[in-house]
Amino acid sequence: RSYKRQMMCRRDIDNLSVPFLAIYESLIPPQEEKLKQKQLLALLEKLVCKEWPMARLYLYGSCANSFGVSKSDIDVCLAIQEADMDKSKIIMKLADILQSDNLQNVQALTRARVPIVKLMDPVTGISCDICINNLLAVVNTKLLRDYAHIDARLRQLAFIIKHWAKSRGVNETYHGTLSSYAYVLMCIHFLQQRQPAILPCLQGMKTTYSVTVDNVDCAFFDQVEKLGEFGRHNKESIAHLVWGFFYYWAYCHDYANSVISVRTGSTISKRDKDWTRRVGNDRHLICIEDPFETSHDLGRVVDKHSIKVLREEFERAADIMQFDPNPCNKLFEPY
Ligand code: GTP
Ligand code: MG
């Protein structure tokens, strides 16, 4: 692999921003979809509070982190303190409560890695997964949303990358490729290390927001409206950044030694994290540190086969961005 390949971006790159922005716009969920999500959440809240008046429901994941494309399912977290009930009992009970109303396909998945209740609301047509007390996900959702408010290019880039990953079949954790959450972290990392930087490192700044969840201290600067236009000194167009993103993961990232870390705004060494060898099922072939659960590598799902698939996809995309006269068609071609 040609790590040393110093490629200059094609001269006409900025002209490609128009079609990329058109793709981005076409993926934004319309206002009525957002309203339907709120409507469903309100219904769920009503049903849950009848049984558990002290419980709270939070949206998390792409419906709340601002990286949700149109027609996504919604992710909901039930926050509840029930000392005498374990998670699977709560899941069963929750499914019971929701079953009795007009919701469809209510399923309790008690044995999944993250136990959830799945359901579909026939009125809004929205599907929904409800998990229990997964408050770290609620906090990382806020972190991602706050990053999105700093520079519009993050949301644009992340939509395009998620769309690419779905089209190319590399957004499937059960097949050893990466979650949407991992791709968004890769986008944030990428924009943090641009010169000049397009995003700051919120966890490296003065703490204005802090919570402790499951014994993890989550602290960061969340008054992002005070940052002014943080990325204004960097004039890179969205097309340039899409090119740069693929080029970075194809030819610049040091997979053997580096961990990407949004928490530090940089990369850290695999050796420092002791992520140099396989432990159990964690292989650490591409390392993406969770911003709060720092012992958690979001690349852990990637195996010997899928790392090859992923890297070849990054190279393919980088080459299309560099040489193809019409990159938008080829880039998102179904695999
Ligand atoms: P789409 O559903 O593909 O649009 O994206 P999504 O943003 O909902 O992403 P995903 O389904 O990958 O994850 C949903 C949410 O769960 C994320 O936003 C995170 O908050 C959380 N999450 C997902 N995977 C992990 C993980 O491995 N660790 C932690 N801590 N949180 C995760
Ligand atoms: Mg989701």
Side-chain angles (χ1 to χ4, degrees):
R1 283 172 202 279
S2 43
Y3 288 111
K4 278 182 248 134
R5 189 153 140 203
Q6 271 297 325
M7 216 196 295
M8 292 269 289
C9 192
R10 63 201 277 172
R11 291 223 188 130
D12 64 341
I13 189 74
D14 294 339
N15 299 343
L16 297 171
S17 285
V18 174
F20 276 116
L21 286 175
I23 291 170
Y24 162 68
E25 304 275 348
S26 73
L27 295 167
I28 298 175
Q31 201 54 38
E32 74 220 42
E33 206 174 300
K34 288 275 144 200
L35 285 174
K36 283 182 180 170
Q37 293 179 352
K38 290 222 175 79
Q39 201 183 321
L40 174 57
L41 187 70
L43 169 69
L44 296 174
E45 229 149 26
K46 201 182 83 194
L47 296 171
V48 165
C49 284
K50 251 195 253 168
E51 178 69 33
W52 291 303
M54 302 298 283
R56 289 270 291 140
L57 289 182
Y58 296 95
L59 285 177
Y60 73 100
S62 64
C63 57
N65 65 18
S66 82
F67 298 105
V69 302
S70 186
K71 306 203 172 64
S72 306
D73 298 350
I74 66 171
D75 299 302
V76 178
C77 170
L78 170 68
I80 184 169
Q81 289 178 325
E82 281 276 333
D84 53 336
M85 248 191 185
D86 65 26
K87 262 194 195 173
S88 52
K89 283 221 180 84
I90 299 175
I91 289 281
M92 304 276 265
K93 177 120 195 182
L94 179 63
D96 231 38
I97 296 166
L98 302 174
Q99 195 77 258
S100 51
D101 211 78
N102 295 333
L103 298 163
Q104 280 178 359
N105 310 342
V106 180
Q107 285 174 282
L109 306 185
T110 51
R111 286 200 289 190
R113 190 179 64 85
V114 180
I116 53 168
V117 173
K118 270 185 155 335
L119 58 88
M120 212 279 278
D121 172 28
V123 177
T124 57
I126 296 176
S127 298
C128 161
D129 291 351
I130 309 175
C131 66
I132 313 293
N133 293 340
N134 188 6
L135 289 168
L136 273 172
V138 177
V139 180
N140 68 40
T141 294
K142 173 175 163 56
L143 180 72
L144 265 47
R145 185 176 60 235
D146 288 339
Y147 270 115
H149 286 149
I150 300 170
D151 194 291
R153 287 170 290 185
L154 170 58
R155 191 168 180 236
Q156 295 163 355
L157 179 66
F159 269 51
I160 291 163
I161 299 306
K162 277 176 67 172
H163 181 52
W164 162 83
K166 283 182 213 280
S167 312
R168 300 299 302 166
V170 289
N171 180 207
E172 296 174 11
T173 47
Y174 46 90
H175 286 151
T177 54
L178 298 169
S179 68
S180 298
Y181 178 55
Y183 282 112
V184 174
L185 291 173
M186 290 161 82
C187 290
I188 294 173
H189 165 75
F190 171 72
L191 298 180
Q192 283 177 329
Q193 60 76 53
R194 286 321 270 175
Q195 297 293 336
I198 295 179
L199 292 177
C201 170
L202 294 178
Q203 289 169 277
M205 297 167 64
K206 189 180 83 177
T207 299
T208 55
Y209 172 86
S210 118
V211 282
T212 303
V213 180
D214 302 342
N215 295 318
V216 180
D217 289 321
C218 308
F220 56 96
F221 180 82
D222 77 334
Q223 299 176 356
V224 291
E225 66 289 346
K226 293 198 179 148
L227 289 174
E229 306 225 327
F230 180 90
R232 69 187 177 282
H233 299 299
N234 183 312
K235 308 278 188 225
E236 288 171 309
S237 69
I238 186 62
H240 195 125
L241 292 170
V242 172
W243 169 83
F245 179 89
F246 288 124
Y247 185 66
Y248 183 86
W249 295 104
Y251 303 115
C252 307
H253 179 64
D254 180 357
Y255 288 79
N257 301 300
S258 295
V259 176
I260 76 143
S261 165
V262 164
R263 174 180 63 95
T264 59
S266 173
T267 55
I268 48 189
S269 99
K270 276 201 198 179
R271 219 171 316 122
D272 290 351
K273 299 211 58 120
D274 202 17
W275 282 357
T276 48
R277 65 213 139 76
R278 175 171 174 170
V279 178
N281 266 333
D282 291 10
R283 297 173 182 87
H284 306 303
L285 300 174
I286 172 172
C287 294
I288 305 162
E289 180 193 58
D290 186 89
F292 300 118
E293 290 177 275
T294 55
S295 63
H296 192 37
D297 177 7
L298 294 160
R300 72 193 179 287
V301 291
V302 177
D303 60 32
K304 234 165 60 190
H305 171 71
S306 59
I307 188 67
K308 200 162 160 278
V309 172
L310 261 178
R311 295 187 62 172
E312 282 171 8
E313 281 295 332
F314 289 136
E315 286 169 25
R316 172 187 180 273
D319 293 349
I320 291 170
M321 288 304 294
Q322 182 72 2
F323 301 113
D324 199 281
N326 230 328
C328 287
N329 300 342
K330 194 79 175 281
L331 197 60
F332 305 105
E333 216 164 65
Y335 61 104

